[in-house]
Amino acid sequence: MVMDSVGIGGAPDAGSYFNDGAPDTGANTVLHIAEACARGEAEQGRSGPLRLPVLDQLGLGRAVELASGAVPPGLGAVPDGRWGAATEVSRGKDTPSGHWELAGLPVPWDWHYFPDTQPAFPEALMAEVREIAGTEGTLANCHGSGTVMLERFGAEHMCTGWPICYTSADSVFQIAAHEERYGLDRLLDLCERIAPVLHEMKVGRVIARPFVGAEGDFRRTGNRHDYAIRPPEPILTNWAQDAGRTVHAVGKIGDIFSMEGIDHLHKGDDATLMGHLNRLVDEAEDGSLTFANFVEFDSLYGHRRDVSGYARALEWFDTEIGRLLPRLRDDDLLLITADHGNDPSWRGTDHTRERVPVLIAGKGAGPVGQVAFADVAASVAAHLGVPASGVGRSFL
């Protein structure tokens, strides 16, 4: 289970990554949320200290201390699970980099990032977008957050029908369009057809960002679709599938890995995904792999720098894990981790370069220490008894 963006600070190279022109040194998603809660500064929709008894019992507080040297307020339990902190080597603090490496494959190239200028994109690329879209122009052509793009360009999009093209600090090309004015199928076709051009540039993802509503009330829908570069080498999902195991992808895992090694896809918002996961605890085939991503920590709260919302999401997740753990079978392993940080107390709106927690139920208690992202894949493969071809080493 990947808690998207739930970092724990301490990345040794954080000074080489930036938000709003300042380095990520000192960013710590879990620590700073816990400190804000303890100070009474995260009171919207919740109140008081951060309450994560289940994750803390698995070792979250100790993992934060191991990663960064700091103990989060209220997270001081003696763990009854296995726990550690993982460090990324890929040169990126984005979703594909983190997930590929967690699946055993550090990114073997440098991603292409678009400059924070206006225009952000080369004219040759935009000419291809216009040709595929069948429009005389495009909108935005800049860096920005999705909600801001809708506020700035949504009304003009409704008048012109021109797609809204934007990017972020990640290696990504995003296209927003109204599901009725432009058409959902037309948007998906545009993204699918332009994706190979972006992938050739080593841009990690093309993302379709459909929305609905009218001016002043534009809302993104759940029909987002990511067109990601296909991993160039086998990853954990391939290892399991090639060994005859069934692989379930919960959330955007299928998009991130371009469906490599995946048999069944289960999608929805985070509450729906948790329902899928609970069902799979009972129904998934013996020896199968379930790989889940819970994205709303990142998409709804991290980028929007919403400390209260992030705290609420963590407490909801903790409660749900508490309900799931007693239902695991004797030979089940549950491993909870993250792909990068997104400290909601930090400057800017981008991800933060951090270590991530590794919390394990089903393999006794005790520390696994400082590990690599790729060690997660090796350890899951070892538990499943399938051959691993990645660079990681099992810590189980």
Side-chain angles (χ1 to χ4, degrees), residues 118-267:
Q118 188 142 5
F121 308 122
E123 171 55 26
L125 171 63
M126 301 315 293
E128 292 205 47
V129 172
R130 293 193 298 270
E131 181 177 354
I132 296 171
T135 59
E136 295 181 0
T138 61
L139 300 173
N141 199 340
C142 62
H143 279 239
S145 71
T147 52
V148 172
M149 293 297 99
L150 298 189
E151 292 170 3
R152 289 181 58 190
F153 300 105
E156 189 174 357
H157 167 78
M158 296 298 285
C159 291
T160 64
W162 294 359
I164 303 169
C165 302
Y166 63 103
T167 187
S168 69
D170 290 348
S171 179
V172 65
F173 184 80
Q174 305 189 73
I175 306 178
H178 197 277
E179 289 194 357
E180 297 167 0
R181 172 65 176 87
Y182 188 87
L184 176 60
D185 290 342
R186 186 181 171 200
L187 172 61
L188 296 177
D189 177 71
L190 169 59
C191 291
E192 183 176 9
R193 291 171 63 186
I194 199 64
V197 178
L198 276 300
H199 294 167
E200 185 67 25
M201 299 167 63
K202 292 297 185 285
V203 174
R205 288 176 293 166
V206 174
I207 304 179
R209 291 286 198 176
F211 64 96
V212 295
E215 185 174 359
D217 187 33
F218 290 126
R219 305 175 306 281
R220 294 197 295 197
T221 75
N223 291 319
R224 161 185 170 159
H225 190 83
D226 292 32
Y227 299 85
I229 292 181
R230 190 175 301 276
E233 299 176 23
I235 54 174
L236 173 62
T237 52
N238 298 115
W239 308 341
Q241 191 181 65
D242 290 348
R245 309 304 179 87
T246 303
V247 179
H248 295 271
V250 177
K252 63 178 186 174
I253 295 297
D255 290 345
I256 294 168
F257 296 140
S258 298
M259 292 301 291
E260 278 292 308
I262 292 168
D263 296 298
H264 303 290
L265 185 61
H266 314 268
K267 303 195 77 171

Side-chain angles (χ1 to χ4, degrees), residues 376-396:
V376 170
S379 301
V380 172
H383 173 74
L384 292 174
V386 303
S389 58
V391 299
R393 295 185 176 184
S394 175
F395 45 68
L396 297 179

Side-chain angles (χ1 to χ4, degrees), residues 269-299:
D269 59 18
D270 277 8
T272 301
L273 299 182
M274 191 63 75
H276 290 316
L277 198 65
N278 274 278
R279 175 176 52 78
L280 289 168
V281 168
D282 296 325
E283 297 178 5
E285 301 81 355
D286 287 345
S288 63
L289 167 66
T290 297
F291 200 152
N293 171 284
F294 289 82
V295 72
E296 291 176 5
F297 302 109
D298 185 61
S299 62

Side-chain angles (χ1 to χ4, degrees), residues 60-79:
L60 180 59
R62 292 291 180 88
V64 176
E65 183 180 15
L66 176 64
S68 65
V71 179
L75 300 182
V78 176

